[in-house]
């Protein structure tokens, strides 16, 4: 079943996450009409090779043209034509960016499908999900609406006050216009008494309105401090977790709605105070409450508006390189990177030209080589947010790695970055990003990684490691695989390592005992191997992967000869091997493992073909393929047939050739593959 068909069968809560993936950068309409073609292309590879991305962009536009010509529905045809034009404008000069967007969307789809099938959550995911509980959102919605209603009810009260004041002003001027002789009459005394009564009532109404304004302002102040700011901080925390592979980031549109409604209330109160200022120009008196209280209320409104707008500037998309979209917050010198900032207050009062400038921390010696200033604009989307995206930032060459913050105007700031000068630093840099964002949201320097106390628990770290596989491959790790990793890292076998602490040095700096590499380097090389050479069979659950030798023996010892399993090598960086059951002459079951295959071998021959064609040569025996059943007992071809590559030559008149992997078996020795032979 295609990936898109699997998506359409998900529950509503997962479909909402899918909906969040698609916008003007990659409309869902394209995903729908070209679903099969899109899934048949290698967007991951294209995101790293501009020539391939250019070809795929051209093919995508051609596919859209063909779909338009075949479409019978006039409205659908019109929409597809518009999408085609938008894609040409947006990506014609930047095909790598398009490939990165589509690659990310497909990978996120796989993650959503996987999360729907594996509902189990780790401690970090539970914490960020609890922070956006439905009841809390509902309470926030109600509170914002109540405040908005209270502010709107002040408008008729101010209008009533204005009418009352006009009545007083008219009566007062009428009395003033009377002759001196008429002012001592009984009727005049009655009119003066009536005028005093109106003035008293006017004074009472002014005090009442100002008191209500003060109460509403206190309510808005409390809303911002107790709910709106915490919700924004929780969203930023979820963004951190998402940066290191966590759950899909949602909720920014909801935050924009709350910020905008609150800002509407404040700007409306500012207009009401301006109106009260106009009223006292016509009528004022000793101890006038408007004259006494209005300046303080104006200052408070001004402060709240200023605070709200400043805090509503957020980095919607943290800095990332199109060449490594799965590893945000790592920037390589000389390589373009992208970031996007957004204003959550959407009002006509702030829709003037806002210039945004990217700068580095003033204490760091960095220089941006490209234009750093752009003007925010209203996006052509349903929410119409005010935002700006910097797509082609490049920083100058450096000779060291350092953690910095990219600062934008109005004090919004990205998460700390790791800047590298060579791709060999990518593995260590990404370990730093994971560690920092897993443990804290405080903008400290990178020394936090070394000094963090207490260190994370294995339960937290294992969840993040599973996210890495989910991010890069679309399928995370199961409990058994994580248990094996825990044993490898901690060096002990126990029922659960979840409460064990893991130091930064143990994770990333110290070598695994007896090996020339660290735990994280070993794991990162496996991720790269899966992504580039094993992705289809990994996602088909053919690779058991992380299996200790003890577990391997326990799984295979009672199986029939020819049963095999695939696991990652513990002795080679980025290696995969298979172990099968062979029956000895005495009838005893023996387990034999082949020398691990690494990227150099797998670049020449797909791993599924190796499984299909593998042969063992033993003294006095006919070469045979010892691999019959994938553990626990699935016929080999049933598991791998869809992944076989025929590799037949299409050049006539040559006959086809096939590369066959062969091992020479010597009794009592390890089984090692000989060089691949062409027969």
């Amino acid at each position: 079943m295609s990936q898109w068909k699997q998506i359409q069968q998900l529950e509503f809560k997962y479909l909402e996450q899918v909906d969040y993936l698609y916008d003007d950068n990659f409309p869902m309409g394209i995903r729908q009409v070209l679903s099969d073609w899109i899934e048949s292309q290698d967007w991951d590879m294209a995101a790293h090779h501009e020539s391939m991305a250019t070809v795929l962009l051209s093919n995508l536009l051609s596919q859209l043209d063909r779909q338009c010509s075949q479409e019978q529905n006039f409205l659908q045809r019109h929409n597809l034509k518009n999408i085609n034009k938008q894609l040409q404008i947006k990506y014609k000069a930047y095909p790598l960016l398009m490939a990165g967007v589509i690659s990310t969307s497909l990978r996120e789809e796989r993650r959503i499908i996987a999360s729907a099938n594996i509902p189990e959550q780790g401690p970090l995911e539970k914490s960020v999900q609890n922070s956006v509980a439905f009841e809390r959102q509902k309470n926030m919605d109600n509170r914002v609406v109540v405040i908005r209603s209270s502010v709107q009810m002040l408008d008729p009260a101010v209008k009533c006050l204005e009418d009352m004041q006009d009545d007083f002003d008219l009566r007062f001027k009428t009395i003033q216009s009377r002759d001196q002789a008429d002012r001592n009459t009984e009727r005049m005394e009655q009119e003066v008494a009536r005028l005093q009564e109106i003035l008293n009532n006017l004074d009472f109404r002014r005090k009442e309105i100002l008191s209500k304004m003060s109460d509403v302002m206190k309510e808005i102040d409390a809303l911002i401090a107790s709910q709106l700011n915490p919700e924004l901080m929780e969203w930023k925390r979820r963004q951190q977790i998402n940066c290191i592979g966590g759950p899909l980031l949602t909720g920014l549109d909801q935050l924009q709605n709350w910020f905008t409604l609150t800002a509407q209330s404040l700007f409306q109160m500012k207009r009401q105070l301006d109106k009260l200022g106009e009223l006292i120009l016509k009528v004022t008196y000793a101890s006038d409450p408007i004259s006494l209280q209005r300046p303080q209320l104006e200052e408070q409104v001004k402060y709240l508006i200023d605070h709200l707008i400043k805090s509503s500037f957020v980095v919607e998309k943290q800095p990332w390189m199109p060449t490594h979209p799965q590893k945000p917050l790592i920037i390589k010198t000389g390589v373009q990177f992208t970031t996007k900032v957004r204003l959550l207050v959407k009002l006509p009062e702030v829709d003037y030209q806002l210039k945004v400038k990217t700068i580095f921390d003033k204490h760091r010696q960095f220089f941006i080589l490209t234009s750093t200033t752009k003007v925010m604009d209203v996006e052509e989307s349903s929410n119409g947010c005010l935002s700006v995206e910097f797509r082609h930032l490049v920083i100058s060459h450096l000779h060291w790695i350092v953690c910095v913050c990219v600062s934008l105007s109005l004090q919004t700031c990205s998460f700390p970055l790791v800047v590298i000068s060579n791709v060999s630093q990518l593995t260590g840099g990404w370990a730093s990003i994971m560690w920092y964002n897993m443990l804290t949201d405080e903008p400290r320097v990178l020394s936090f990684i070394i000094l963090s106390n207490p260190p994370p628990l294995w339960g937290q770290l294992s969840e993040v490691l599973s996210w890495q596989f989910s991010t890069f491959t679309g399928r995370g790790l199961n409990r058994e695989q994580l248990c094996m990793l825990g044993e490898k890292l901690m060096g002990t076998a126990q029922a659960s390592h979840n409460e064990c602490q893991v130091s930064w040095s143990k994770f990333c700096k110290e070598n695994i005992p007896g090996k020339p590499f660290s735990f994280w380097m070993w794991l990162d090389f496996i991720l790269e191997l899966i992504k580039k050479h094993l992705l289809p069979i990994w996602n088909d659950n053919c690779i058991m992967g992380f299996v200790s030798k003890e577990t391997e023996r326990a799984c295979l010892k009672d199986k029939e000869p020819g049963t095999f399993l695939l696991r990652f090598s513990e002795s080679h960086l980025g290696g995969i091997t298979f172990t099968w059951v062979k029956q000895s002459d005495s009838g005893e079951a023996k387990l034999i493992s082949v020398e691990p295959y690494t990227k150099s071998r797998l670049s020449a021959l797909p791993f599924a073909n190796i499984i299909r064609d593998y042969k063992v040569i033993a003294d006095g025996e006919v070469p045979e393929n010892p691999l019959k059943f994938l553990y626990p007992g699935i016929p080999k071809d049933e598991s791998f047939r869809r992944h076989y590559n025929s590799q037949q030559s299409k050049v006539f008149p040559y006959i086809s050739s096939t590369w066959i992997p062969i091992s020479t078996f010597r009794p009592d020795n390890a089984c090692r593959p000989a060089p691949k032979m062409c027969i």
Side-chain angles (χ1 to χ4, degrees):
M1 184 185 299
S2 71
Q3 186 170 307
W4 189 243
K5 287 182 179 179
Q6 293 180 62
I7 287 289
Q8 293 173 315
Q9 294 179 4
L10 295 177
E11 297 179 19
F12 179 73
K13 63 179 180 179
Y14 296 108
L15 291 177
E16 284 187 310
Q17 296 180 30
V18 175
D19 182 63
Y20 185 79
L21 291 176
Y22 295 97
D23 53 21
D24 294 339
N25 291 323
F26 183 28
M28 189 179 288
I30 298 179
R31 184 69 178 94
Q32 173 69 31
V33 299
L34 300 180
S35 59
D36 292 338
W37 181 84
I38 287 173
E39 290 180 31
S40 67
Q41 311 304 311
D42 191 347
W43 298 102
D44 291 336
M45 182 70 73
H48 296 83
H49 297 85
E50 187 164 6
S51 59
M52 184 176 179
T54 302
V55 171
L56 284 184
L57 173 59
S58 176
N59 291 344
L60 176 63
L61 297 176
S62 298
Q63 291 284 338
L64 274 178
D65 282 335
R66 187 177 299 110
Q67 192 68 32
C68 284
S69 63
Q70 297 173 355
E71 181 59 55
Q72 300 298 317
N73 184 289
F74 173 76
L75 180 60
Q76 180 72 351
R77 186 165 64 250
H78 172 76
N79 291 338
L80 291 176
K81 286 182 178 179
N82 283 340
I83 290 173
N84 196 322
K85 292 178 182 177
Q86 291 172 10
L87 291 181
Q88 291 187 55
I89 294 172
K90 190 181 292 284
Y91 296 124
K92 189 171 183 180
Y94 316 110
L96 274 177
L97 188 61
M98 179 213 66
V101 168
I102 298 179
S103 171
T104 300
S105 297
L106 294 177
R107 186 176 62 256
E108 291 296 332
E109 284 183 6
R110 292 195 294 270
R111 290 179 58 192
I112 293 170
I113 293 172
S115 64
N117 295 330
I118 308 176
E120 183 177 347
Q121 301 170 342
L124 285 173
E125 185 169 355
K126 287 178 181 177
S127 67
V128 297
Q129 288 200 354
N130 289 339
S131 68
V132 288
F134 175 75
E135 286 300 322
R136 202 161 112 182
Q137 288 192 8
K138 186 177 179 181
N139 176 267
M140 186 72 172
D141 285 335
N142 292 337
R143 195 171 177 186
V144 169
V145 169
V146 168
I147 289 175
R148 190 81 191 96
S149 177
S150 299
V151 172
Q152 290 174 334
M153 289 174 64
L154 288 172
D155 272 349
V158 172
K159 182 63 172 66
C160 180
L161 183 64
E162 183 180 16
D163 293 341
M164 186 183 299
Q165 181 169 302
D166 288 343
D167 181 36
F168 172 84
D169 190 45
L170 179 62
R171 289 174 182 269
F172 181 76
K173 289 178 179 178
T174 300
I175 292 176
Q176 281 189 322
S177 65
R178 298 280 180 86
D179 293 337
Q180 186 64 35
D182 295 335
R183 294 186 180 183
N184 297 324
T185 63
E186 182 178 348
R187 182 179 178 185
M188 177 62 71
E189 291 178 357
Q190 292 176 349
E191 289 185 4
V192 170
R194 174 60 181 157
L195 191 63
Q196 183 62 51
E197 182 182 345
I198 294 175
L199 182 60
N200 292 340
N201 195 19
L202 186 65
D203 182 67
F204 174 80
R205 294 294 182 186
R206 286 185 172 186
K207 290 178 180 177
E208 184 181 47
I209 287 177
L210 290 168
S211 176
K212 288 181 179 179
M213 282 187 167
S214 180
D215 290 341
V216 172
M217 216 165 298
K218 289 178 182 177
E219 182 66 20
I220 293 176
D221 192 8
L223 172 75
I224 293 174
S226 67
Q227 286 188 278
L228 201 53
N229 284 344
E231 285 290 343
L232 179 60
M233 295 307 297
E234 290 290 350
W235 179 85
K236 290 181 178 180
R237 179 57 180 158
R238 296 198 304 275
Q239 188 182 42
Q240 275 190 285
I241 297 301
N242 175 257
C243 281
I244 57 175
L248 192 66
L249 182 63
T250 59
L252 196 57
D253 288 345
Q254 179 66 72
L255 270 173
Q256 177 174 302
N257 183 53
W258 292 333
F259 267 90
T260 298
L261 288 174
T262 305
Q264 285 176 344
S265 298
L266 287 170
F267 276 106
Q268 189 167 354
M269 291 191 73
K270 183 179 181 301
R271 291 191 292 270
Q272 291 164 353
L273 287 169
D274 291 342
K275 186 65 177 178
L276 293 181
E278 295 174 7
L279 294 182
I280 61 174
L281 295 177
K282 298 179 181 179
V283 175
T284 189
Y285 45 89
S287 301
D288 184 348
I290 294 180
S291 299
L292 295 174
Q293 299 179 39
R294 178 173 166 269
Q296 182 181 356
L297 291 175
E298 279 188 321
E299 283 297 316
Q300 193 171 1
V301 166
K302 181 181 177 182
Y303 167 78
L304 290 175
I305 289 175
D306 184 63
H307 173 74
L308 193 71
I309 290 179
K310 284 184 177 180
S311 61
S312 73
F313 274 90
V314 298
V315 180
E316 181 177 358
K317 294 181 181 178
Q318 295 292 327
W320 60 283
M321 296 185 295
T323 54
H324 295 85
Q326 298 97 337
K327 294 183 176 180
L329 303 174
I330 295 183
I331 306 301
K332 183 181 179 297
T333 55
V335 175
Q336 291 184 354
F337 66 96
T338 297
T339 189
K340 182 179 180 181
V341 68
R342 174 169 167 179
L343 181 66
L344 299 180
V345 172
K346 179 65 183 75
L347 291 174
E349 287 87 345
V350 294
D351 277 358
Y352 53 87
Q353 283 200 341
L354 294 176
K355 290 186 178 180
V356 181
K357 183 177 181 180
T358 59
I359 60 172
F360 277 95
D361 185 335
K362 62 183 179 180
H363 301 296
R364 311 295 181 179
Q365 298 179 17
F366 293 107
F367 301 95
I368 301 179
L369 304 181
T370 48
S371 174
T372 60
T373 303
K374 296 184 74 172
V375 176
M376 300 190 80
D377 196 9
V378 177
E379 283 192 355
E380 295 180 2
S381 57
S382 57
N383 58 25
C385 63
L386 198 63
S387 65
V388 63
E389 186 168 15
F390 293 85
R391 293 184 180 175
H392 312 293
L393 297 173
V394 180
I395 62 175
S396 61
H397 184 70
L398 297 174
H399 298 284
W400 59 87
I401 304 175
V402 70
C403 179
V404 301
C405 293
V406 174
S407 299
L408 305 176
S409 300
L410 296 179
Q411 304 303 313
T412 193
C413 182
S414 80
F415 299 137
L417 308 177
V418 169
V419 181
I420 63 175
S421 57
N422 191 289
V423 291
S424 63
Q425 300 165 328
L426 193 63
T427 296
W430 184 240
S432 302
I433 294 296
M434 286 192 299
W435 201 267
Y436 173 85
N437 288 286
M438 172 177 59
L439 292 179
T440 184
D441 55 3
E442 296 181 19
R444 303 179 186 177
V445 295
L446 203 59
S447 60
F448 163 83
I449 293 173
I450 309 300
L451 302 175
S452 58
N453 187 31
L457 302 177
W458 170 248
Q460 294 174 285
L461 181 58
S462 64
E463 184 179 15
V464 175
L465 295 181
S466 180
W467 288 343
Q468 304 315 299
F469 283 82
S470 181
T471 298
F472 282 85
T473 72
R475 185 169 72 86
L477 302 178
N478 58 36
R479 184 179 301 175
E480 290 74 19
Q481 291 168 329
L482 290 173
C483 183
M484 184 270 181
L485 290 179
E487 292 179 8
K488 188 170 185 66
L489 183 58
M490 251 68 78
T492 59
Q494 58 186 67
S496 175
H497 294 89
N498 285 346
E499 301 305 315
C500 296
Q501 294 181 339
V502 183
S503 68
W504 166 251
S505 180
K506 187 83 171 176
F507 173 66
C508 189
K509 294 298 182 183
E510 299 175 3
N511 286 343
I512 298 172
K515 303 294 187 296
F517 45 79
S518 68
F519 173 84
W520 168 243
M521 181 178 289
W522 171 73
L523 200 61
D524 193 49
F525 270 67
I526 289 174
L527 275 166
E528 284 297 310
L529 187 74
I530 295 174
K531 181 181 176 183
K532 293 181 179 179
H533 301 290
L534 305 173
L535 190 58
I537 59 176
W538 168 263
N539 285 329
D540 256 8
N541 210 21
C542 295
I543 301 175
M544 187 172 289
F546 300 102
V547 188
S548 66
K549 292 184 178 180
E550 293 76 12
T551 303
E552 178 185 69
R553 176 164 292 279
C555 290
L556 294 177
K557 66 178 182 179
D558 296 325
K559 296 298 180 181
E560 62 180 296
T563 303
F564 67 99
L565 58 78
L566 310 179
R567 63 176 177 84
F568 299 117
S569 171
E570 297 183 64
S571 58
H572 289 64
L573 275 178
I576 186 169
T577 183
F578 42 83
T579 300
W580 71 89
V581 180
K582 176 180 174 62
Q583 193 171 27
S584 65
D585 295 337
S586 62
E588 183 181 343
K590 292 181 60 178
L591 300 187
I592 301 175
S593 298
V594 73
E595 182 180 349
Y597 287 86
T598 57
K599 64 180 181 180
S600 59
R601 290 182 179 275
L602 297 180
S603 297
L605 191 63
F607 194 53
N609 283 32
I610 292 175
I611 299 296
R612 179 191 65 187
D613 300 327
Y614 182 73
K615 295 288 191 298
V616 171
I617 298 177
D619 293 339
E621 294 183 10
V622 177
E624 65 170 10
N625 189 328
L627 310 179
K628 307 297 182 185
F629 308 100
L630 179 66
Y631 179 84
I634 307 170
K636 175 183 64 179
D637 288 342
E638 186 178 320
S639 297
F640 293 95
R641 182 181 289 110
R642 68 176 70 88
H643 306 301
Y644 292 154
N645 181 352
S646 64
Q647 290 193 332
Q648 291 183 348
S649 172
K650 298 181 180 180
V651 182
F652 185 82
Y654 300 114
I655 63 173
S656 62
S657 61
T658 302
W659 290 96
I660 299 178
I662 297 176
S663 290
T664 302
F665 180 70
R666 301 178 183 87
D668 301 322
N669 287 317
C671 186
R672 299 182 180 275
K676 298 176 178 63
M677 302 176 62
C678 180
I679 62 173

